[in-house]
Amino acid sequence: MSTSSSSSSSSSSSTTTGSLSRRRSTPVDSGLGWLDDRLGVAKGGRIFMDKIFPDHWSFLLGEIALYSFVVLLATGVFLTLYFVPSAAQTVYHGVYKPLDGVKMSEAYASSVNISFAVRSGLVIRQMHHWAADVFIGSIAVHMCRIFFTGAFRKPRELNWIVGVSLLFLAIVNGFLGYSLPDDLISGTGIRIAYSILLSIPLVGSYLATLVFGGVFPGDGSIIPRFFILHVLILPAIIAGLIGAHLFMLVRQKHTQFPGHGRTEDNVVGSPMFPTFMAKTTGFLFMVTGVLWALGGLAQINPIWQFGPYVPYKISYAVQPDWYMGWLDGAMRIMPSWEFAGFGHTIPFMVFLPGVLFPGLTSILFIFWPFIEQKLTGDRAEHHLLDRPRDRPRRTAVGAAFLAFYFMLFCASSTDVLANFFQVSLNVVLWTFRFVVFIVPIIVGLFTYRICLDMTGVSHVGKRKRAVLIVRSATGEYTTVDTEARPGDGHHELEPMLVPGFIEGLDGDGAEGGEPGVRRVVRRP
Amino acid sequence: MSDVTTDEPGGLAEGHAPKEPLPLASFDDPHLQPLAKQPARAEGVVGILLLLGLLGFAAYGAVYWVGGQPQVEGISLGVGLFCFGFGLSAWGKYLLPQGPFMEKRHKLASSDDERAAMAAAIVERGGMMVKRRSFLGGILGIGGAVMGVVLAFPLLRSLGPVPAKTFDVTNWHKGSRLVDNLGRPVHVADLEVGGSLTVFPEGYTSEEAMAVDQTILIRVAGPDVDVVTEPSRATWGPDGYLAFSKVCTHAGCPVGLFQHQTLQLLCPCHQSLFNVGQGRPATNVFGPAPRPLPQLPLYVDESGFLRSQAGYDQPIGPGFWERTTT
Ligand code: HEM
Ligand code: FES
């Protein structure tokens, strides 16, 4: 595109006005002008395009979550075109012959149809399931990043709360989703969910019958109810919260790791446009590509093998999706405590692990920033991240918690483990009842120790320079850094503000050149 | 070091975006050079990746067109999308200005005056609305609360029936004939010792009824042996047969597995185990189930079919607040 060359101003003036007067008008200028006259978008838009995204890999975790949500929306809409959310009974005569003539719900029949009769349907159904697993997994790992680096500290406590809410809503929506096909395994999960509702003291039986439209399995309304929650209400809330999450992120700007030129008063990285945009759009495609490939290649939830849900049938090795595993594990290792007296029953063996425990977990997670503020007395604003080893106590607590939930997750396979190691279920059960508490304590202490040891050594983790270990005359060891050799690491430039105007790009610069052609300049 | 020529902004203290001239850089600024040491080669790699992406898209289109095949669909479009995205990301990382760039952080909090002004707007201006109008304020408040309550009626109450007696009742009655899931009555000769069968009261075939009534019939001894699980249940187990509610007292899964060597019923959901047989009234011996499975008293009628002497003597299944029998 070559417009009439404007009069080139000779002096390479470095003020904005100087550059402004030298800018030639492009079609973008006029289009933007039209919009800006009406909405005043230029200033804010430019500031947004200059927004800086730190270049650390750990910032990708949240993006994985965001993009798997995008994939969930897209694949989910596709599924709604074929899925029939109805418990009405029908007899199957579709293309999948092994189920021919079997009585089943419309929901199950339509899910089998999506898998076998809709072209690309199986890939998209499996992709939806994989995306749900990746969505929840990446939220959890992203949350660990936020936790261990202290990114939740003031002023970001609210965004932490939004994030925790997203995690729990995602788990709930995942449960609702895999309940929809009404196969034998998910139906069993619904049955357990009903009993968990029922276990709540005082209101339990009301809640359970209202939600299910009667005593289990109810009047057939549970599938349509789960459906509307799953495809509309929870996704809308999740999308709204993601919006709030990103709004706060833009408003408060990113945190960053300490480093060359990085202070509490700036953010260093790549600008939104075009660098980050290119990288992140590419990343969206990469995440989608991986999920699509998983959907095509890696079988997940083969409902046609489980058969339709029948209330008096049960399959073996009943296990929920992995993100419910910690709850299932807690249900399994809970002692069989039930209170009965005064004309009432409180089934603690279900109420504690099924209601109270996840409730307390979410409360603890939500209030963590404030709990930590209380414990450390640190109420200052922080924009520079902690390295986990520099906060041994927080890191140890976090590691212990992860160990705790991981052990519960393992406890959801007591039967599989007992089979595998050829020991009795009894041994496995009792082992877990102890291990669930002992392992986190050991992990916590161990982590604490490692953190302390690491703070003593300079440049841990950066193997850029050799370190000499020197033994003193008294037998004490110390480390001494060696001189940097040329080529060690790469010396970073001083960060600069994102330039609004680039001189010389269109050939007006001192060196001249063809208008509109970017010249390749050798690096110094 | 950089060519940025701006006044140092004093923005932080003011809490506003600084009114600084827009930064300007010269084209040969090192910040604007690509990260790649050999941009031409990087460009080639990016080009190849984008082309692979394109190929993958086309391959998927072709596979779809000829009828589709999940694995090939997965490989083609998956690899295509991945390469396409990888190329674009690499373009952004290696061929666009390497930076590092930065932006300044501005104080988020407003000035004390602005805060006071907003607080005043809420408290004082808002106060004007209710001042000396406490009567109206009261009605507004009560009205709002009542509205909230009545709106909850359709949202909650319409959802389903309240649990009247429904939890305590199954369809097992005095004389109910035991039938299998296809409605065929169970004859005393039907099960071998060690066998088991899920049974229902005759005449109740709906899914809802079956969910509640499901009962596991097991045979632990031969004819003419009365299995006595408890002294008070002397006649409940005729001809080696025993029947227990199949709804686990833990969380309601079907207690599906009868292990006849060990004489135990196993619930596969959380591995609760129940001892059955002579002197063993489905006692919960392992796992989280808190109570034995209720036992259904049986008898053999004159034509040799199994029937129940009565319904269950207690609510079946998991515990709940209103449950009285222990
Ligand atoms: C937070 C977001 C979401 C999560 C975690 C999620 C998770 C799941 C899971 C795990 C399944 C079971 C898939 C299977 O059969 O293996 C499922 C099914 C389903 N989802 Fe989602 N989903 C989400 C959002 C959506 C949205 C936004 C829609 C529609 C607009 C949707 C529509 C459906 C439908 C129709 C099914 C049943 C189809 C079938 O399984 O045959 N989902 N979902
Ligand atoms: S439902 Fe039977 S053990 Fe949990």
Side-chain angles (χ1 to χ4, degrees), chain A residues 423-431, chain B residues 286:
Chain A
V423 286
S424 79
L425 258 177
N426 200 22
V427 172
V428 178
L429 180 82
W430 277 100
T431 313
Chain B
F286 181 79

Side-chain angles (χ1 to χ4, degrees), chain A residues 357-369:
Chain A
F357 171 56
L360 289 177
T361 295
S362 45
I363 290 176
L364 180 71
F365 283 13
I366 282 182
F367 286 104
W368 175 261

